[in-house]
Each structure stands twice: as C-alpha cells, then as structure tokens.
Amino acid sequence: HHEGAGVGKIEGFPDKGRDSLIEFIKALLLPTMVMYAKGERKIRFEQYLGVFRSIEQLVDEHRERYELFIGKAQQGVFSSKLRELVPEVGIFFTSLPLTKAFTIYDEQEAITARNFIPPSFNDIRHVLNIAQLFALRKTVKLITFDGDQTLYQDGGDFHPDSALVVHLISLLEKGVFVALVTAAGYENNPEKYESRLSGLLAGFKAHNLSQAAASRFFVLGGECNFLYKCKADYKLEVVRFESFATDEMLLWGSHQIVKVLDIAEASLRNGVEEMNLNYQVLRKARGVGLVCSGRSAGKPHRGWLCSHVPA
C-alpha cells in the first residue's frame, strides 16, 4: 500500500515484520478498545471507523502534498501531516478507501465484537490490503509475487488444483500481467524454473489457458537479471536481457559486475570461516549465495546475514 521503511525493534537489525504506519494506527485504536471495552459494539465500530477515516484523509493530504512537491521539481523538503506523525512513511501510489475496507473486514472478522482484544497488527494490515485492492481493481495492469514463503512453501511448488492457481489464471484471463519475482537465479535455463513451477504450469494446461493469457505470465529471476515468458505450450522461454534491462543496467560492464561479486564472495567466505558454519559459498554469473553443506545446517542466523550480506 505504501513504499516506506519499517520500524526495527533492535537497533542495527531490521525487523522485517514491522511497519511504522501500521504500528501508528494500532496505537490510535488501542485507547478506543480500552475506553469502550464493555460498551456496545456499535459505539466501538463508530470509534474505530473514525480512526480509519482520519488516516484516509491524512493519506489523501499526503498524496496531494507529494504531487505539489514533484511539480516543484522536488525543491525543498517534502512534508505532510502524516509524515510529521509517522516520519518513516513512504509514498502512496493510490488513495486508500480505508473506511470501506474496515467495514468489510469487520463484517468478516467481527473485530468490533471483541471486548478485550484490540485490533492486531495483522488486522490492520488486512484492512490496508483490502483498501489497496479497492483502489487498484479497475486500473491494475501488472501484479508481481514473490515465490518461496509467499505463493508456496520454501522450495515447494503449486498443486495444479489449488485455489491460488485458479486465481492466477483468472487474473491472466482478465488481461492482467502476472510475474513471479524470485531470487533463484538460473541463467538461460528455463527448465529449472519450470521444475519449480511445474504445478502452476500444469494448472495452466489443465484449464486450457489461451495463448494470449499464457503470454501474460512471466518469471523474473536472479534478482531481476533473468526474464522468462510463458509460451502457448506452457513452457518458459528466455527473454533477451537487452529487451527488458533499464538503461542503467545496460551500462554495467562485465568487469564491474565481477568486482562486486568478488567482494560479496570474499565477505561470505570470510564469514563462514570465522563463524565455522556448515555452508558452501556458491558463485554464479550474477550472484553469490550460500548452500547448506549438511542436513542439520538449516538457514543462516538472521544476525549473521545482517552482519555479512551488507558488507
């Protein structure tokens, strides 16, 4: 819904599960729950709705001020009432009909019927997501998804008959472009991605997805270095790097890429050796990563990653 930074709970370690705007809304809703803990649900609903109405107005004012800021060639410092209250808040690309979204969410989850449990972080996130869907439903042209831990389990796959496959097919048939964006990098090797997405591609085939709809499905891998497009036979084909790379990306020389990867590889190898970790460092054409050397290795500790990856 907005582009901004979350609020970390531990200094020096980013908290991926936090969002400053959501925490702000949560703090506004809490006093209402306490004051009307034993009150009628209707009163609590009106109070919650008032909070979301205020946030909706703040977002609109924030967007208007940003348009003026852009119109002035970004001279001076961009400010808004919302940014004064939540300094980390980013830029909103659409309005957010939060009162409508909250009303629908409350009808489904009955959060205003809870006497002693305030709206949670996830409750507010769902309201924001519903509002974003309302804002985009008539104009969206492209939807991108992460793969692992978003559309499927880490290292997993789709089931051809899963509800997600049906929803993705529906988007494609309605003219929406869908892209799976993944860090997994297999240069000029569509078969690797096909094996990871075999259930989804089989679902396309089982539903007899048209050639036009299938051609709107893409896979962007290797941190935006490799692009693949779905063909009529539900296989993936390579899209030439020059046809999708930005002008800046096209200026990258091979020696610059090698230099950056050399630094990254040295940092990871040094970290593995210092911490005596059971990992192998894997070097690819446009990436460096870690592979577990044994079954018991598991994933690297987050603190270790935060310490070594930025280096």
Side-chain angles (χ1 to χ4, degrees):
H1 51 276
H2 75 107
E3 181 185 23
V7 177
K9 295 298 181 182
I10 302 176
E11 186 175 355
F13 291 88
D15 191 335
K16 294 177 68 177
R18 301 294 91 185
D19 183 286
S20 55
L21 177 63
I22 294 179
E23 295 291 358
F24 174 68
I25 299 173
K26 183 179 176 183
L28 292 178
L29 293 171
L30 181 59
T32 297
M33 193 282 299
V34 174
M35 292 175 63
Y36 299 97
K38 296 183 179 180
E40 294 182 8
R41 178 181 178 182
K42 182 179 180 181
I43 297 176
R44 195 180 299 117
F45 172 82
E46 291 298 331
Q47 295 296 321
Y48 284 173
L49 192 68
V51 171
F52 281 105
R53 184 180 295 112
S54 296
I55 297 299
E56 185 175 328
Q57 293 169 351
L58 286 171
V59 169
D60 288 340
E61 188 262 356
H62 183 83
R63 296 183 68 237
E64 290 172 3
R65 283 183 170 269
Y66 186 71
E67 289 298 324
L68 292 173
F69 177 67
I70 293 296
K72 295 178 180 178
Q74 302 187 27
Q75 294 180 356
V77 178
F78 168 57
S79 65
S80 69
K81 293 179 181 178
L82 184 59
R83 178 153 285 187
E84 290 175 6
L85 295 166
V86 189
E88 299 88 355
V89 74
I91 305 305
F92 294 85
F93 302 106
T94 69
S95 60
L96 291 177
L98 291 170
T99 52
K100 183 177 181 180
F102 172 72
T103 301
I104 290 174
Y105 185 72
D106 188 53
E107 290 174 354
Q108 297 174 343
E109 302 298 329
I111 62 174
T112 54
R114 301 189 320 221
N115 291 325
F116 304 106
I117 306 298
S120 68
F121 181 94
N122 284 335
D123 286 328
I124 299 167
R125 184 181 65 175
H126 284 309
V127 172
L128 288 166
N129 286 341
I130 293 170
Q132 185 66 88
L133 287 174
F134 276 121
L136 289 174
R137 62 179 179 172
K138 293 183 179 180
T139 59
V140 66
K141 297 180 180 179
L142 166 69
I143 296 180
T144 63
F145 298 95
D146 187 15
D148 292 325
Q149 302 289 52
T150 300
L151 292 180
Y152 45 78
Q153 293 297 318
D154 196 6
D157 192 1
F158 292 87
H159 190 281
D161 296 325
S162 74
L164 273 176
V165 172
V166 175
H167 291 318
L168 292 175
I169 288 174
S170 177
L171 288 171
L172 293 168
E173 290 178 334
K174 287 179 169 62
V176 177
F177 288 85
V178 176
L180 177 69
V181 182
T182 174
Y186 309 119
E187 184 178 14
N188 297 322
N189 193 345
E191 292 80 11
K192 281 277 191 177
Y193 291 104
E194 290 170 359
S195 66
R196 293 182 62 131
L197 301 172
S198 59
L200 178 62
L201 297 175
F204 288 176
K205 185 175 182 179
H207 287 79
N208 196 28
L209 188 65
S210 69
Q211 179 179 353
S215 68
R216 288 190 279 269
F217 179 73
F218 291 82
V219 176
L220 185 61
E223 303 292 1
C224 302
N225 281 293
F226 314 121
L227 184 63
Y228 300 86
K229 180 180 180 180
C230 188
K231 301 184 293 182
D233 60 358
Y234 313 114
K235 300 286 186 179
L236 299 177
E237 64 178 348
V238 176
V239 178
R240 291 190 309 110
F241 181 78
E242 293 76 16
S243 66
F244 71 88
T246 64
D247 293 339
E248 183 180 2
M249 293 169 69
L250 292 174
L251 292 176
W252 297 345
S254 58
H255 65 286
Q256 293 174 303
I257 296 173
V258 170
K259 184 177 180 179
V260 171
L261 292 178
D262 284 345
I263 295 172
E265 181 180 1
S267 177
L268 288 179
R269 291 191 182 281
N270 182 62
V272 169
E273 183 177 350
E274 284 184 350
M275 303 295 290
N276 194 28
L277 299 176
N278 194 22
Y279 296 99
Q280 291 180 343
V281 177
L282 178 64
R283 172 75 174 259
K284 293 187 177 181
R286 285 179 173 255
V288 182
L290 297 174
V291 178
C292 298
S293 298
R295 292 183 179 179
S296 61
K299 293 184 178 181
H301 186 273
R302 186 174 167 198
W304 184 90
L305 288 173
C306 288
S307 174
H308 287 83
V309 172

